[in-house]
Amino acid sequence: MNAPEPIAFIRQHLIDPEVCIRCNTCEETCPVDAITHDSRNYVVKADVCNACGACISPCPTGSIDHWHIVPKASAYSIDEQLTWDELPPKQDVDASVLDQAASDNSADAEEEGIQLNAATSLTSAVPPWSAAHPYVNLYTLKAPITATIAGNYRLTDPNATSDIHHIVLDFGTQVFPILEGQSIGIIPPGADAGGKPHYMRMYSVASPRTGEREGYNNLSLTVKRVVEDHEGNSTLGVASNYLCDLAKGATVQVAGPFGTNYLMPNHAGSNILMICTGTGSAPMRAMTEQRRRLEAAGKKVDGKLMLFFGARNPEELPYFGPLLKLPAHFIDKHFAFSRLPGEPKTYVQDKLRQAGKEVAELLKGDTYLYICGLKGMETGVMDALREVCMADGLEWTALSARMVNEGRLHVETY
Amino acid sequence: MSKIDYSEKIPNNVNLAEDKTLQRALEHWQPNYLQWWQDMGPDGSTNFDVYLRTAISVTPDGWAHFGHVKMPDYRWGIFLAQQEEDRKVNFGENKGMAAWQDVPGEHRANLRRIIVTQGDTEPASVEQQRHLGLTAPSQYDMRNLFQINVEEGRHLWAMVYLLHKYFGRDGREEAEALLQRNSGNQDNPRILEAFNEETPDWLAFYMFTYFTDRDGKFQLNALAESGFDPLSRTCRFMLTEEAHHMFVGESGIARVIQRTVDIMKQHRIEDPNEVRKHGVIDLQTIQRYLNFHFSVTVDLFGADQSSNAATFYSAGLKGRYEETKRDDDHVLKSHQYKILEISNGSIVEKEVPMLNSLNEVLRDDYIRDSIAGVGRWNRIIEKAGLNFRLQTPHKAFNRHIGSFAGHRVSPDGRLVSEAEWASNVRDWLPTEEDRAYVASLMGRVIEPGKMANWIAPPPVGINRQPIDFEYVRFN
């Protein structure tokens, strides 16, 4: 293995010490306890913050709303932030380094965690105009809700290297409203080697608002068992192994729901373009299933669905079987496999280019774009979209900016 | 519980409609409150549409909802932070018991006293600030003043709700009395001295919101630790609102300093008389205002040693700042604390039981927090390359409550004679001339985006609106 080690970048949440008045509302509000302070500064723990934004509106100063792109390995530590009198200048991350990191991280790179705090993306800060109203933060780290495991199935072939599970959580008679695209926090029991309780991990919900099983108060998650760290060394992901090993009937502590922007449009004429890899398929499955149920109930749904889905091979593609059963008139599916014997490596961006004409046509209409999966896919996907648009006389930079403003471009990568 | 019911006459998230007796009692109190607002609220502002923040729920996405509202139409309501499941009494002799959802009989009188004292400060600050709208240095500042006023008014509601719901007839009488006392009134003054001081100009207002509203942060935090859960939840929501008040103070003073140092640099002057000729407030005057407001606020924490504070703590009624984050036994019976006292003509440290010194513990936490902010102001002066530095005075300076009352202590902490005090006091505390000078600068500026000459514009607008946004519409 002579390949260079992939560099992961994160969007680190920082507080400007020059503007912050130390009023304590951010720390009080943070649902995941990512904010702490000493007598000098208020600071954010990079490895805990999930960028949920709950701290933003209670801050009277705006000092809380700072985001720096930094290499994950050298994110500013708590100790460092506590000494600051002012924010350090934003690091000038060379575009070629970012691109290199992106391609290194693409389908070859191992997923090393499912925290959602690593997005460096251009993404809408508002939901689609017709999205249903989400409920958020009903349950917190301090006051979680208990769910029961109603099912835990391996989605990937027994011979596949990646072990992805479909896990169904049942909330019984408790209130837990959820919308497609929202996520929940799982609180693994126990403590780490230092005796501190484990951090909460975020997972996107894979089922639609009416439940994994319609009419039941349950939801599903798509969880990949993490067995290697970022450097490829053997390690066991705390939350993913905990979840994947839970038997039916076991209970789990849950916080949330989280997420107010990455939501699906409700108006039936809206087109949905979905691009994902691996467990990034969870919100796509939720949205697709919501549309399928509407159609099955005889509702008029004339918006188009188009899906680009990447995995190493069909065996490692979660929900491959059920997806294949969906008729072509309902959803236009494009699969990209990077490890098929005897075949060239194909990534979602390659499939986007191949279907360029249809993609450009769709982007011209009332279309909502969702991207979810490994951080490394993002640059390639954006480049492909730019090319596809250019070939059709569309200006991607202007179009994407407009889509961001209109709540039509949503990116969640990790 | 988090949703606020705005269809009710009294907006609330406490299911008020389910308790008809309480609802009637509060609806009876409401006209008196509105009359008080009419009589003692902001002068000459009845018809303005003000860009106000109103809570529509107590969760992070709903508590800061912005829109233009006429102040008398602001929906003062009763909002409690979300309940924490299985919350316990976290300190004192009842530590580990389930938090009380009702008032424990034996603590009734003390709790009522705590709530009345806190409640009394809320309308008092509205009364102290009632003339300031007439001299606002910009629309942005005017809007901030009114935001503070309506929220202080709402904080009164929060305390009145607790009095009505949990303290029966006594509570209703105390709630009435909150509207009858008035700041600075000779016959019927507010309970705490700092709330009877005048807030005549905007420099005083910013100092008040920096120092005195910061006292609010510490008092409310200590009450948010209370084992009486409704009080804790009420204070937790009040704290989210209080943050803006402190912001107005800290950023207000920062802007005054910024403007002064800009002028000093531009004209290469340091002499305060020269500085005044340019219509800005000299740093020496800012220091004297700071000395005054710091010392008056430090008094608010009460006597250095107090058996009441010990009782409140041991009973689980009022905790320390960040009680649950401290690593000790949270009972404090065998703990000591160092306080200052006068012995043989000098100020010395003395070790006393911590339980009796809890006022001093809170005061010291407050002082640390206040000093840090003064350091942030100093960085503005430092960046301008000037040698002057602002300082908080010694905590024994100009005290009227506790063991230093009746003694003369210089800002640097020396016990001084009456004669030395008299010959220096003009350098230490604002003089009539200082106040007259600052008053001479006060004049209303209402054109959007324009600032009075003595203050720099804010770096960002409220709710990310531009600085020249129409924060107040004068109808």
Side-chain angles (χ1 to χ4, degrees):
Chain A
M1 288 291 282
N2 295 322
E5 286 185 355
I7 306 168
F9 285 85
I10 62 163
R11 191 165 163 254
Q12 187 170 5
H13 183 194
L14 300 171
I15 298 175
D16 184 347
E18 276 193 297
V19 184
C20 169
I21 60 164
R22 285 73 174 168
C23 66
N24 202 57
T25 51
C26 54
E27 187 173 321
E28 179 67 27
T29 316
C30 177
V32 295
D33 287 341
I35 299 177
T36 184
H37 72 274
D38 66 359
S39 57
R40 183 185 177 104
N41 282 343
Y42 274 72
V43 296
V44 187
K45 300 172 190 166
D47 51 353
V48 183
C49 173
N50 59 20
C52 72
C55 56
I56 306 288
S57 84
C59 171
T61 68
S63 61
I64 193 95
D65 204 2
H66 289 273
W67 308 85
H68 285 203
I69 297 173
V70 295
K72 187 171 183 179
S74 55
Y76 298 111
S77 70
I78 294 293
D79 289 343
E80 206 174 351
Q81 294 177 55
L82 287 171
T83 65
W84 287 348
D85 284 335
E86 51 192 70
L87 276 186
K90 280 196 178 177
Q91 295 178 26
D92 198 8
V93 182
D94 188 83
S96 65
V97 175
L98 270 180
D99 284 351
Q100 179 63 40
S103 62
D104 288 344
N105 282 356
S106 63
D108 284 351
E110 285 298 331
E111 182 183 346
E112 54 101 44
I114 317 218
Q115 289 206 343
L116 297 181
N117 64 339
T120 60
S121 326
L122 184 72
T123 183
S124 292
V126 288
W129 66 265
S130 64
H133 174 73
Y135 285 86
V136 287
N137 303 316
L138 296 180
Y139 303 93
T140 62
L141 194 60
K142 284 180 192 153
I145 185 175
T146 304
T148 308
I149 303 290
N152 185 348
Y153 320 96
R154 181 169 167 137
L155 286 171
T156 41
D157 191 273
N159 299 322
T161 27
S162 63
D163 178 9
I164 302 180
H165 281 238
H166 180 70
I167 298 173
V168 181
L169 303 184
D170 191 297
F171 291 93
T173 55
Q174 307 168 100
V175 181
F176 200 86
I178 192 98
L179 290 174
E180 305 78 16
Q182 282 193 292
S183 49
I184 65 168
I186 295 290
I187 306 163
D192 62 19
K196 287 189 174 168
H198 289 303
Y199 295 133
M200 180 171 93
R201 269 41 174 216
M202 302 280 284
Y203 292 90
S204 284
V205 170
S207 51
R209 64 192 73 181
T210 44
E212 171 65 17
R213 184 170 175 197
E214 199 162 5
Y216 285 72
N217 191 16
N218 58 15
L219 58 77
S220 60
L221 303 177
T222 315
V223 181
K224 180 178 172 183
R225 188 190 291 275
V226 175
V227 289
E228 280 182 3
D229 69 8
H230 203 64
E231 281 78 38
N233 301 318
S234 166
T235 184
L236 293 181
V238 172
S240 66
N241 281 278
Y242 161 67
L243 279 172
C244 289
D245 291 338
L246 281 176
K248 192 176 167 183
T251 58
V252 59
Q253 299 297 301
V254 176
F258 300 116
T260 53
N261 306 326
Y262 200 102
L263 303 173
M264 72 179 291
N266 268 355
H267 60 299
S270 54
N271 309 317
I272 302 182
L273 172 55
M274 298 170 275
I275 305 168
C276 62
T277 55
T279 53
S281 58
M284 314 310 178
R285 179 181 182 266
M287 291 193 280
T288 307
E289 181 60 11
Q290 170 66 5
R291 279 277 166 100
R292 194 195 63 76
R293 286 184 190 176
L294 285 179
E295 199 179 62
K299 302 261 166 60
K300 187 170 178 287
V301 184
D302 41 18
K304 294 191 183 77
L305 297 184
M306 192 173 196
L307 171 71
F308 291 85
F309 196 166
R312 293 180 172 199
N313 52 51
E315 291 73 36
E316 293 193 1
L317 196 145
Y319 311 115
F320 188 58
L323 252 178
L324 284 182
K325 287 185 195 144
L326 293 174
H329 79 265
F330 174 73
I331 181 168
D332 183 4
K333 306 175 284 273
H334 301 259
F335 299 116
F337 300 115
S338 60
R339 296 284 174 85
L340 284 185
E343 301 271 334
K345 288 184 177 182
T346 309
Y347 298 114
V348 280
Q349 50 265 42
D350 302 320
K351 288 287 175 183
L352 274 167
R353 287 192 183 89
Q354 280 173 23
K357 190 74 196 153
E358 294 96 307
V359 172
E361 272 310 307
L362 204 60
L363 286 173
K364 286 177 191 167
D366 182 18
T367 296
Y368 292 74
L369 170 58
Y370 297 84
I371 300 173
C372 187
L374 291 174
K375 177 99 210 96
M377 72 187 285
E378 214 178 302
T379 314
V381 165
M382 291 298 174
D383 286 347
L385 288 168
R386 182 176 296 111
E387 282 170 39
V388 160
C389 283
M390 209 183 332
D392 217 76
L394 280 173
E395 220 283 287
W396 170 246
T397 309
L399 175 65
S400 59
R402 200 171 78 232
M403 289 178 74
V404 164
N405 284 336
E406 292 172 352
R408 296 199 287 130
L409 199 166
H410 296 274
V411 183
E412 208 157 80
T413 51
Y414 37 82
Chain B
M1 280 297 273
S2 68
K3 211 69 197 160
I4 292 170
D5 187 348
Y6 272 100
S7 63
E8 290 284 329
K9 205 166 171 187
I10 302 167
N12 70 88
N13 68 345
V14 293
N15 294 334
L16 188 57
E18 285 176 9
D19 185 344
K20 291 293 171 202
T21 315
L22 174 63
Q23 190 178 23
R24 271 196 302 276
L26 285 167
E27 284 178 2
H28 177 74
W29 187 81
Q30 193 175 33
N32 299 337
Y33 171 82
L34 291 173
Q35 188 58 49
W36 165 83
W37 180 267
Q38 202 67 36
D39 296 342
M40 303 302 290
D43 257 357
S45 59
T46 315
N47 208 23
F48 300 168
D49 290 321
V50 187
Y51 188 64
L52 292 179
R53 174 181 75 179
T54 312
I56 54 171
S57 82
V58 296
T59 53
D61 54 328
W63 88 277
H65 181 81
F66 286 87
H68 282 90
V69 181
K70 283 189 186 18
M71 272 187 293
D73 300 338
Y74 180 83
R75 304 300 309 278
W76 288 282
I78 301 157
F79 315 138
L80 270 59
Q82 283 175 298
Q83 192 155 17
E84 202 177 295
E85 226 172 287
D86 299 327
R87 190 168 169 268
K88 302 271 189 280
V89 180
N90 292 314
F91 58 91
E93 283 162 8
N94 298 308
K95 190 176 151 221
M97 282 176 59
W100 304 298
Q101 298 306 322
D102 219 328
V103 180
E106 67 272 33
H107 304 315
R108 192 182 158 88
N110 281 335
L111 257 180
R112 192 182 62 206
R113 181 170 164 189
I114 289 172
I115 293 169
V116 167
T117 309
Q118 180 62 41
D120 194 68
T121 66
E122 310 292 357
S125 58
V126 177
E127 292 164 0
Q128 287 172 298
Q129 297 157 12
R130 63 186 306 243
H131 305 301
L132 290 175
L134 303 175
T135 54
S138 73
Q139 260 200 31
Y140 165 92
D141 288 283
M142 184 185 273
R143 177 263 160 212
N144 282 344
L145 167 74
F146 291 155
Q147 181 72 54
I148 292 174
N149 291 163
V150 292
E151 286 174 351
E152 298 292 7
R154 202 203 66 71
H155 293 179
L156 171 62
W157 267 101
M159 293 297 126
V160 164
Y161 163 72
L162 294 177
L163 288 170
H164 272 241
K165 177 156 171 83
Y166 297 99
F167 296 90
R169 188 172 153 189
D170 298 357
R172 289 195 296 277
E173 283 170 2
E174 293 284 12
E176 287 297 325
L178 286 171
L179 296 176
Q180 282 150 13
R181 285 186 290 272
N182 287 144
S183 175
N185 187 316
Q186 298 262 309
D187 302 324
N188 203 1
R190 290 293 173 186
I191 296 169
L192 301 174
E193 192 177 322
F195 289 89
N196 289 304
E197 299 284 353
E198 281 188 28
T199 308
D201 58 64
W202 278 75
L203 184 60
F205 171 62
Y206 293 138
M207 288 290 178
F208 182 95
T209 42
Y210 179 78
F211 286 109
T212 311
D213 282 319
R214 192 167 291 272
D215 157 70
K217 164 184 165 181
F218 282 82
Q219 299 291 355
L220 290 174
N221 258 303
L223 294 177
E225 300 286 355
S226 179
F228 178 46
D229 202 42
L231 176 61
S232 164
R233 291 171 59 203
T234 304
C235 291
R236 274 191 282 141
F237 189 71
M238 286 163 75
L239 276 163
T240 55
E241 294 179 326
E242 200 74 13
H244 173 259
H245 309 182
M246 287 165 22
F247 159 71
V248 168
E250 179 157 341
S251 62
I253 299 289
R255 289 162 55 212
V256 174
I257 295 171
Q258 186 68 58
R259 178 69 184 150
T260 301
V261 299
D262 285 349
I263 291 288
M264 288 168 75
K265 259 173 43 183
Q266 190 186 334
H267 298 280
R268 296 187 182 160
I269 47 173
E270 291 198 5
D271 177 359
N273 293 320
E274 286 297 313
V275 171
R276 284 190 180 190
K277 283 181 189 161
H278 294 275
V280 296
I281 304 171
D282 52 290
L283 298 175
Q284 289 77 359
T285 299
I286 295 173
Q287 176 67 63
R288 288 191 286 274
Y289 267 67
L290 186 161
N291 287 350
F292 174 76
H293 284 272
F294 177 85
S295 56
V296 165
T297 306
V298 160
D299 265 345
L300 281 174
F301 290 86
D304 323 42
Q305 292 199 68
S306 158
S307 56
N308 274 334
T311 307
F312 294 168
Y313 186 86
S314 294
L317 305 181
K318 182 179 178 183
R320 286 169 295 172
Y321 175 64
E322 301 197 315
E323 180 68 46
T324 46
K325 293 185 185 165
R326 297 182 189 231
D327 317 324
D328 54 29
D329 67 358
H330 303 278
V331 181
L332 307 180
K333 280 197 167 153
S334 53
H335 292 62
Q336 305 287 306
Y337 195 75
K338 283 184 180 152
I339 64 164
L340 296 181
E341 67 166 22
I342 294 173
S343 170
N344 296 329
S346 60
I347 298 173
V348 294
E349 271 192 340
K350 180 186 169 192
E351 202 156 79
V352 294
M354 188 186 257
L355 264 185
N356 285 321
S357 327
L358 288 170
N359 286 342
E360 199 66 10
V361 173
L362 196 60
R363 182 173 9 247
D364 287 341
D365 288 336
Y366 165 83
I367 288 174
R368 265 191 293 280
D369 206 45
S370 289
I371 290 175
V374 174
R376 296 192 286 277
W377 291 335
N378 277 332
R379 277 199 283 280
I380 302 170
I381 309 176
E382 202 175 327
K383 276 188 175 173
L386 297 165
N387 283 327
F388 193 93
R389 293 291 177 272
L390 294 165
Q391 288 174 358
T392 47
H394 192 273
K395 77 171 165 184
F397 170 74
N398 193 37
R399 292 289 299 278
H400 299 282
I401 286 177
S403 57
F404 295 107
H407 292 277
R408 295 301 193 185
V409 178
S410 63
D412 58 3
R414 285 176 302 109
L415 205 56
V416 296
S417 66
E418 192 61 41
E420 189 179 349
W421 173 270
S423 63
N424 287 294
V425 68
R426 291 176 57 81
D427 293 330
W428 294 342
L429 288 170
T431 62
E432 283 310 307
E433 291 82 356
D434 289 338
R435 293 198 184 276
Y437 172 69
V438 175
S440 77
L441 302 176
M442 297 296 124
R444 199 185 214 185
V445 177
I446 54 171
E447 199 181 323
K450 287 268 180 300
M451 297 288 138
N453 177 60
W454 54 271
I455 191 164
V460 281
I462 292 297
N463 192 28
R464 297 193 175 273
Q465 296 291 358
I467 304 301
D468 61 358
F469 180 74
E470 210 175 5
Y471 289 104
V472 182
R473 293 185 189 137
F474 305 89
N475 296 303

